[in-house]
Amino acid sequence: MSMAADVAAIADVLDRARVARVAIPRITIDHPELGIADGYRVQKELVRRRLAEGHSIIGYKMGLTSPQKMKQMGVESPIYGVLFESTRVEDGGRVAVADHIHPMVEPEVAFVLARALHGPRCSVESVLAATARLAAAIEIIDSRYERYQFDLPSVIADNTSAGRFVVGAGVAPASVELASLGVVLERNGEAATAGTSAAVLGNPALSVAMLADLLAEGGAELPAGSIVMSGGITAAVAVSPGDHVVCRIDRLGTAAVRFD
Ligand code: OOG
Ligand code: MG
C-alpha cells in the first residue's frame, strides 16, 4: 500500500466501526497486501484525526507482550498504540459496556514517567530511573474486528484494540522487584485470572524500553508525564454489565472499575 487515499479509506472504515460500535472483518481481507508499516500508517492517521477533534495523547500502550496474550490472539509480536486522555477512567470509576463493541479487561503494570525516555538501546535501568510511579492498571480493550480475529497489520491499524484504561494510585519504583510480582484479576470478588509480572517479557520495564526503541525508529520519544501500559499479563477476560473488576498486584496496589 502506498497511496494516501488507501490509508484514509481504511481509517474511515475503522472509525465508522468504532463510532457505530459494529465489528468489521479484519482489513487485510480486502487489503491482503498490507504490512506492519502500513498498519502503523493507518494508526497514525486515526491519531491525527483524534488530535484534530481536540483529544490529547496521555501516553502509549504495549500489546502482545506476554505468551498468554500472544496465544489468545494468535499473533506473536509486541505492538504499540496510543492512549488518549479522554479514554482514561478514574480508579474506581464506571464504564458502560454499551459504549463498546465487545469489551474485555486485562491486568497490566502501568508506568508514569517523571522524565522523557528515548531510544534506541533504552535499558530497563533507564526506564526505572525515569519512572515516577508504578501502578496496578486495567486495560479495557475493544477490538473493532469481529470475534477479535486479526493479524498484526490489522490490529496495529486499529490502535491495538485500545478502548479505555484505569490506573491505580501506585507507588514509587524504589525497591520494587518488578520481575516477580503476583497479579490477580478479580471479577465480582472472585479470581478470574492470575499470573506474574514476569509474563511481560520477563520484566514489564523491558516492555517500556522496547516501546522507547520502537518510537525512536520514527524519531519520537516518550515525553515526561506519559502513562505507559506495559501489556496484558494474562489472557483478556470478557465483561458484562454489573461486573466489578479489580486488578491486584503485589506491592503496587489495586485498580478497579465497574461496568454498567
Ligand atoms: C490486542 C491488544 C493487546 C495487550 O495488552 O496485550 C493488548 C488485542 O489483544 O486485542 O492490549
Ligand atoms: Mg493491553
Side-chain angles (χ1 to χ4, degrees), residues 61-65 69 73 79 106 108 139 141 143 148 150 155 160-161 231-232:
K61 56 166 288 188
M62 285 291 278
L64 308 178
T65 48
K69 277 296 302 180
M73 298 307 170
I79 54 180
E106 305 178 320
E108 303 203 12
E139 185 179 16
I141 53 172
S143 175
Y148 281 78
F150 48 66
V155 68
T160 65
S161 309

Side-chain angles (χ1 to χ4, degrees), residues 68-85:
Q68 288 82 351
K69 277 296 302 180
M70 292 184 198
K71 186 157 169 254
Q72 182 180 32
M73 298 307 170
V75 178
E76 293 207 346
S77 168
I79 54 180
Y80 70 87
V82 170
L83 299 176
F84 296 99
E85 174 65 42

Side-chain angles (χ1 to χ4, degrees), residues 5 9 29 45 76 80 109 136 149 156 160 163-164 171 177 205 210-211 236 245 249:
I29 291 175
E45 168 61 13
E76 293 207 346
Y80 70 87
V109 174
Q149 300 281 296
I156 290 166
T160 65
R164 290 164 195 253
V171 298
E177 194 41 79
M210 189 182 273
L211 171 63
V245 175
I249 304 186

Side-chain angles (χ1 to χ4, degrees), residues 117-127 205-206 208-210 212-213:
L117 261 181
H118 45 83
R121 293 180 298 281
C122 185
S123 66
V124 163
E125 291 70 31
S126 42
V127 169
L206 191 55
V208 181
M210 189 182 273
D213 288 354

Side-chain angles (χ1 to χ4, degrees), residues 21-203:
R21 295 170 205 137
V22 176
I24 54 172
R26 65 182 159 83
I27 54 176
T28 44
I29 291 175
D30 279 347
H31 302 272
E33 73 288 0
L34 292 191
I36 286 175
D38 300 316
Y40 280 111
R41 273 185 207 113
V42 174
Q43 182 189 115
K44 208 167 179 181
E45 168 61 13
L46 289 171
V47 170
R48 191 192 65 73
R49 293 177 183 199
R50 291 294 84 70
L51 294 176
E53 289 164 4
H55 296 270
S56 58
I57 295 175
I58 184 65
Y60 292 83
K61 56 166 288 188
M62 285 291 278
L64 308 178
T65 48
S66 70
Q68 288 82 351
K69 277 296 302 180
M70 292 184 198
K71 186 157 169 254
Q72 182 180 32
M73 298 307 170
V75 178
E76 293 207 346
S77 168
I79 54 180
Y80 70 87
V82 170
L83 299 176
F84 296 99
E85 174 65 42
S86 54
T87 62
R88 179 181 188 166
V89 178
E90 62 173 336
D91 187 17
R94 308 186 83 97
V95 166
V97 168
D99 287 346
H100 300 78
I101 301 170
H102 44 194
M104 298 179 90
V105 286
E106 305 178 320
E108 303 203 12
V109 174
F111 291 69
V112 183
L113 299 185
R115 294 205 301 276
L117 261 181
H118 45 83
R121 293 180 298 281
C122 185
S123 66
V124 163
E125 291 70 31
S126 42
V127 169
L128 292 174
T131 299
R133 274 190 308 124
L134 291 169
I138 299 168
E139 185 179 16
I140 302 157
I141 53 172
D142 194 33
S143 175
R144 266 52 67 171
Y145 300 119
E146 293 164 347
R147 298 179 305 285
Y148 281 78
Q149 300 281 296
F150 48 66
D151 45 27
L152 278 178
S154 300
V155 68
I156 290 166
D158 184 29
N159 196 23
T160 65
S161 309
R164 290 164 195 253
F165 65 99
V166 186
V167 178
V171 298
S175 82
V176 173
E177 194 41 79
L178 196 48
S180 55
L181 304 174
V183 177
V184 180
L185 189 74
E186 292 174 5
R187 191 176 42 192
N188 305 324
E190 284 175 18
T193 179
T196 115
S197 57
V200 173
L201 301 171
N203 181 340

